Amino acid sequence: MTVWSRAVVRWRCSRVTNLTYRGFCYNKPSKTDLQVPPLPANLPAGSPASSFKDKGRNVQWVFLGCPGVGKGTYAARLSKLLGVPHIATGDLVRHELSSHGPLASQLVDIVNQGKLISDEIIIDLLSKRLEAGEAKGEAGFILDGFPRTIHQAEILEGVTDIDLVINLKLREDALIAKCLGRRICSECGGNYNVACIDIKADDDKTRMYMPPLLPPPHCENKLITRSDDTEDVVKERLRIYHETSRPVEDFYRRRGKLLEFDLPGGIPESWPKLLQALNIYDDEDKKSAAA
């Protein structure tokens, strides 16, 4: 597998020279490093996932998309299906915030204002997570929330191969409603959404229905709202994201690695269509639907 370590990396690009990041160092994998767990046998020949058996490693994918679009939900499902770790930079940030470490106070101000966290901080957190995964023998990954800037994409390309970038899209009115409906169980950490989104069809868009993802009874009285899930902060996050995401999308589009997927509705409607777009079969999901 790819070998990661924390180091100082000097990264040169056309617009910025002698830019120093505390982040990744890439070492060429040996034959021993390439011994990774096999992918699920139910992946069809020719699918994006099954083709990486020939490379001797598991998939290395990225999920892009606006805050609240559902990157974490779909990345986690694919992670379980393909047997690779799901690494969400948002979770890394929240873990750092809860640890009360040296970065916590700095991160609190950034997150509460809806601003993007600097490349240096994100890369440092991600490199620590990848290093820990390497020590546990993890193979492959699905990144969620990284890269968010063109500089991050350039750095990532310099240290490892990204096979596929899945760009999830959702209309903005639904996005805002989803973000404002997010809830977390203060006891178990479960993620839920109390918003019931039902947007009528108009001239150029079909009706969109996204049912709420309600908690089990034992979590109902323990739900809390994220401090940054206010309408003003959500809109500011979306504005910043749109400004910075286009260069990243173009970066991967030029390399033929970008899959753009418009979410047609909630999970029951969108998940099978996403698998179809990826040419992946989920036998367990089909069994559940038939039951």
Side-chain angles (χ1 to χ4, degrees), residues 181-193:
R182 291 193 293 195
R183 299 292 186 273
I184 302 171
C185 177
S186 59
E187 186 172 287
C188 70
N191 290 283
Y192 306 101
N193 201 301

Side-chain angles (χ1 to χ4, degrees), residues 74-90:
Y74 294 102
R77 284 184 165 227
L78 279 173
S79 167
K80 182 178 180 181
L81 180 62
L82 301 179
V84 297
H86 166 216
I87 302 175
T89 53

Side-chain angles (χ1 to χ4, degrees), residues 24 63 71 86-96 107 117 121-123 125-127 129 142-148 152:
F24 304 126
F63 265 83
K71 296 186 299 294
H86 166 216
I87 302 175
T89 53
D91 290 343
L92 298 181
V93 169
R94 284 185 283 276
H95 175 75
E96 188 68 24
L107 287 171
I117 298 169
I121 292 175
I122 290 295
I123 290 165
L125 294 175
L126 182 57
S127 63
R129 170 61 183 85
I142 294 178
L143 294 183
D144 163 10
F146 185 93
R148 286 190 175 183
Q152 291 177 358

Side-chain angles (χ1 to χ4, degrees), residues 191-209:
N191 290 283
Y192 306 101
N193 201 301
V194 298
C196 181
I197 300 170
D198 191 356
I199 303 174
K200 296 180 179 179
D202 54 28
D203 293 338
D204 59 342
K205 295 179 181 178
T206 60
R207 176 182 180 240
M208 174 173 285
Y209 177 70

Side-chain angles (χ1 to χ4, degrees), residues 18 82 94 168 194-195 200 202 220 240 256 258-259 283:
N18 294 330
L82 301 179
R94 284 185 283 276
L168 296 183
V194 298
K200 296 180 179 179
D202 54 28
E220 286 179 353
I240 294 174
L258 187 70
L259 171 66
D283 287 343

Side-chain angles (χ1 to χ4, degrees), residues 117-183:
I117 298 169
S118 71
D119 291 353
E120 183 179 14
I121 292 175
I122 290 295
I123 290 165
D124 188 47
L125 294 175
L126 182 57
S127 63
K128 287 191 291 186
R129 170 61 183 85
L130 290 169
E131 190 177 58
E134 178 195 340
K136 294 188 295 183
E138 290 180 349
F141 53 77
I142 294 178
L143 294 183
D144 163 10
F146 185 93
R148 286 190 175 183
T149 67
I150 191 67
H151 289 159
Q152 291 177 358
E154 289 168 340
I155 293 168
L156 190 60
E157 184 180 55
V159 297
T160 192
D161 291 328
I162 296 300
D163 307 314
L164 182 68
V165 177
I166 303 164
N167 188 25
L168 296 183
K169 295 185 173 183
L170 183 65
R171 52 190 295 174
E172 188 160 311
D173 48 358
L175 265 173
I176 293 173
K178 275 193 67 183
C179 288
L180 297 181
R182 291 193 293 195
R183 299 292 186 273

Side-chain angles (χ1 to χ4, degrees), residues 7-51:
V8 175
V9 177
R10 291 195 179 277
W11 185 260
R12 298 175 183 268
C13 60
S14 58
R15 289 171 294 173
V16 181
T17 59
N18 294 330
L19 186 62
T20 302
Y21 290 90
R22 283 185 297 119
F24 304 126
C25 177
Y26 174 71
N27 299 317
K28 186 176 180 180
S30 66
K31 290 183 179 179
T32 303
D33 292 325
L34 293 176
Q35 301 303 313
V36 299
L39 290 173
N42 63 340
L43 295 180
S47 75
S50 64
S51 64

